[in-house]
Amino acid sequence: MNYQSTRGADSGVTAARAIVKGLAGDRGLFVPDEIPRLDAGDLAFLSSCNYLDAAKLIFERYLEDFSLAQIDECVEGAYYDTFDSAEVAPLVKLDEDTRVLELWHGPTCAFKDLALQVLPRLTTAAAAISGEQNEIVILVATSGDTGKAALEGFRDVPGTSIVVLYPQDGVSAVQKQQMVTQEGENVRVLAIRGNFDDAQNAVKGIFMDDALAGRLLARKKRLGSANSINWGRLLPQIVYYARTAAQLTAPGAAAAGSAVDFVVPTGNFGNILAAWYAKQMGAPVGRLICASNENDVLTEFLTTGIYDRRRPFHKTLSPSMDILVSSNLERLLYELSGRDSALIRGLMQQLETGGRYEVPDSLKAGIRRDFCAGCCDDAGTQAAIRDAWQRYHYLMDTHTAVAYSVLNALRGREGTKRPTVIASTASPFKFPAGVLCSIAGGDAAAGLSEYRVLDRLSAVTGWPVPDPIAGLEHRAVRHTAVCDAADISAAVEAAIG
Ligand SMILES: *Cc1c(COP(=O)(O)O)cnc(C)c1O
């Protein structure tokens, strides 16, 4: 099976090439030529196997040019013993109809680990398969979680190196400490005097700089992307949706013979799109509920068919969802339009020049069939954290709480409770101030450093601070480079070496 671009000019690309390239040559996103189907035997297997075997089954269907031995090696390297739960992504029951899929038991305590632990391994295997002779240099601009998860994933992976740029004053103290203490021989971390957009724009500029690409090739290096537009990041996320849906609908399970809804706290639309692929494969997935914070561009789009990024940008308690342009949506539009690349090129052009597009009615119907959407503000987020704590003694982070809030509102409107899984995307200790204030009162974190907030949250709840975050305060700083926004390109080239 090959891959094709959503914009129509790059097709017949092998899985290995699609993963090495990241973005298609016409700036579209790669999708598989056809979506493989799971039969009854596959679903029975997924309902009872362990996480690693589930990952192997799903990967084999999409990575036909990889050998089974290569897939085994990628999966085992990524998930065997790197998560603090043997389940990898444990499912926690709140009540008969409501479960939480905890996607944050990896080395950085956020769901991006599920993909970024395996992407580097897929990248090296893909480089070998496609005859790539050059070292792959991963370049990432981050506003928080992605950078650290990518550093952890790529550290000391042969044939790769990684450079991460972050805004000096634009990430939390814990996030910054996580990055500047990063270990590994092939990692570089650069602070930027500027904001996230400066870092992001610099990275885009570097990717389009043909002269720089030429100089790098002369040194046997090629730039690669760990961004969520890479198919190698989406694929690993399909695994936990297919497996969870199969488990909960197996004979004797909570939703036996039926289907399971998922509610997903959404930013770039990558995580929820993986759930959609699981459903297209034939996994017993019901509705996909897209949950947004005050940045509600997706709520509006999924209910009206109009995407309009011309709106104020809100900084919220769930910063990983503070996004106005959700790049992975392009894949869904492509699939739902019957793979109409001309339509996609037009829509993306309108978004770039006018900041807005509206999709045709047939596409709106496709969206309504699979999706519903809702949003909540910071007050709603905090009320949700309080509610889950009081009702279930379950501590959720601010992103997960957005999903829980949206689910409760939907159930209130509908007056029914369908079996639903909440995708939990971060440990409550990843964004501790918002969580602590929700359960202990508005000023509970006042005057405390982020580290003391962690201690307080642990004391108030009796939940331990996860290992990757505990002890961070005293870890040795290894990366101190800072550069001006104007000098990023030169600094990156120097860092690449
Ligand atoms: C990245 C992230 C999200 C958003 O996921 P998308 O795939 O971009 O929709 C939600 N929550 C947390 C904690 C994240 O790090």
Side-chain angles (χ1 to χ4, degrees):
M1 179 181 45
N2 281 331
Y3 287 73
Q4 56 188 255
S5 165
T6 51
R7 309 228 178 146
D10 204 351
S11 63
V13 177
T14 62
R17 216 54 220 154
I19 288 171
V20 169
K21 285 180 81 171
L23 198 64
D26 56 6
R27 312 203 63 73
L29 309 189
F30 285 117
V31 299
D33 283 345
E34 62 186 290
I35 299 176
R37 292 286 298 179
L38 298 167
D39 63 23
D42 296 327
L43 291 175
F45 179 78
L46 286 172
S47 73
S48 57
C49 70
N50 67 26
Y51 194 90
L52 279 71
D53 287 338
K56 290 175 189 176
L57 182 142
I58 302 287
F59 285 16
E60 282 165 17
R61 303 295 162 86
Y62 284 97
L63 305 176
E64 282 180 354
D65 45 337
F66 286 55
S67 71
L68 295 187
Q70 284 172 316
I71 290 177
D72 284 1
E73 205 182 310
C74 290
V75 167
E76 282 163 22
Y79 302 121
Y80 182 78
D81 245 13
T82 45
F83 286 63
D84 73 9
S85 160
E87 267 295 297
V88 179
L91 192 60
V92 175
K93 180 174 169 180
L94 297 186
D95 62 31
E96 207 41 55
D97 303 305
T98 317
R99 284 168 174 74
V100 180
L101 181 61
E102 293 184 344
L103 302 172
W104 41 262
H105 288 270
T108 76
C109 303
F111 99 97
K112 291 181 174 65
D113 287 330
L114 268 308
L116 281 166
Q117 277 299 305
V118 75
L119 176 69
R121 295 176 168 88
L122 294 174
T123 303
T124 8
I129 293 164
S130 64
E132 177 68 53
Q133 303 288 326
N134 303 296
E135 175 185 311
I136 310 284
V137 182
I138 300 295
L139 184 59
V140 182
T142 186
S143 58
D145 286 347
T146 307
K148 176 61 184 179
L151 285 165
E152 270 304 318
F154 279 93
R155 77 185 239 197
D156 295 329
V157 171
T160 73
S161 61
I162 175 164
V163 181
V164 168
L165 308 175
Y166 72 94
Q168 190 177 22
D169 301 314
V171 300
S172 76
V174 166
Q175 285 175 325
K176 184 169 178 169
Q177 185 75 354
Q178 279 189 312
M179 289 191 277
V180 298
T181 59
Q182 178 67 45
E183 302 193 355
E185 293 311 311
N186 64 339
V187 303
R188 303 282 177 275
V189 178
L190 268 179
I192 305 300
R193 287 190 199 91
N195 57 28
F196 173 63
D197 283 334
D198 295 325
Q200 173 106 316
N201 287 335
V203 166
K204 282 188 187 152
I206 291 169
F207 273 109
M208 289 193 291
D209 184 342
D210 292 335
L212 174 62
R215 291 197 296 280
L216 291 179
L217 271 182
R219 288 182 256 155
K220 302 199 76 60
K221 292 169 198 273
R222 176 196 293 282
L223 287 174
S225 164
N227 203 285
S228 77
I229 46 121
N230 192 315
W231 178 257
R233 265 191 72 177
L234 203 79
L235 173 61
Q237 299 171 359
I238 298 174
V239 176
Y240 46 79
Y241 289 109
R243 178 166 181 260
T244 303
Q247 284 175 335
L248 287 176
T249 56
S258 160
V260 191
D261 290 357
F262 285 92
V263 56
V264 184
T266 297
N268 230 338
F269 210 75
N271 202 6
I272 196 168
L273 184 67
W276 183 85
Y277 273 101
K279 180 172 182 174
Q280 295 317 110
M281 292 179 77
V285 174
R287 295 188 296 192
L288 301 173
I289 306 162
C290 176
S292 300
N293 62 27
E294 216 178 331
N295 296 295
D296 59 353
V297 63
L298 283 168
T299 313
E300 182 178 284
F301 173 70
L302 293 171
T303 46
T304 66
I306 297 171
Y307 197 98
D308 192 346
R309 69 168 162 82
R310 301 168 305 171
R311 59 180 69 221
F313 176 82
H314 300 284
K315 275 177 139 353
T316 72
L317 289 174
S318 41
S320 299
M321 296 153 68
D322 292 345
I323 280 180
L324 293 181
V325 177
S326 298
S327 42
N328 264 298
L329 195 56
E330 181 169 340
R331 286 192 167 105
L332 179 73
L333 301 179
Y334 183 66
E335 298 284 4
L336 289 180
S337 66
R339 310 197 151 190
D340 185 345
S341 55
L343 174 76
I344 301 306
R345 283 197 302 276
L347 294 177
M348 294 304 129
Q349 183 65 40
Q350 287 173 43
L351 184 64
E352 208 160 294
T353 51
R356 175 190 189 275
Y357 62 77
E358 177 168 6
V359 298
D361 286 344
S362 57
L363 225 156
K364 289 180 194 170
I367 292 169
R368 267 197 304 275
R369 205 167 43 236
D370 291 329
F371 290 91
C372 55
C375 56
C376 81
D377 60 12
D378 279 350
T381 304
Q382 294 202 296
I385 292 171
R386 210 156 36 239
D387 180 82
W389 181 248
Q390 285 168 355
R391 206 191 296 212
Y392 305 112
H393 225 64
Y394 185 80
L395 192 62
M396 52 178 64
D397 100 289
T398 49
H399 303 75
T400 310
V402 169
Y404 179 69
S405 169
V406 166
L407 174 64
N408 284 340
L410 184 70
R411 284 176 165 173
R413 281 201 302 278
E414 294 182 332
T416 57
K417 260 177 119 182
R418 297 160 52 118
T420 305
V421 172
I422 300 165
S424 176
T425 50
S427 154
F429 290 90
K430 193 94 203 232
F431 301 91
V435 177
L436 179 64
C437 293
S438 305
I439 60 172
D443 53 3
L448 297 182
S449 76
E450 223 175 282
Y451 298 106
R452 301 291 77 76
V453 173
L454 286 168
D455 297 340
R456 180 76 59 88
L457 182 60
S458 180
V460 167
T461 60
W463 283 40
V465 181
D467 284 343
I469 295 176
L472 196 58
E473 188 178 5
H474 303 295
R475 220 160 287 163
V477 171
R478 305 182 71 236
H479 305 275
T480 53
V482 186
C483 83
D484 285 321
D487 304 331
I488 294 176
S489 185
V492 166
E493 191 170 354
I496 290 171

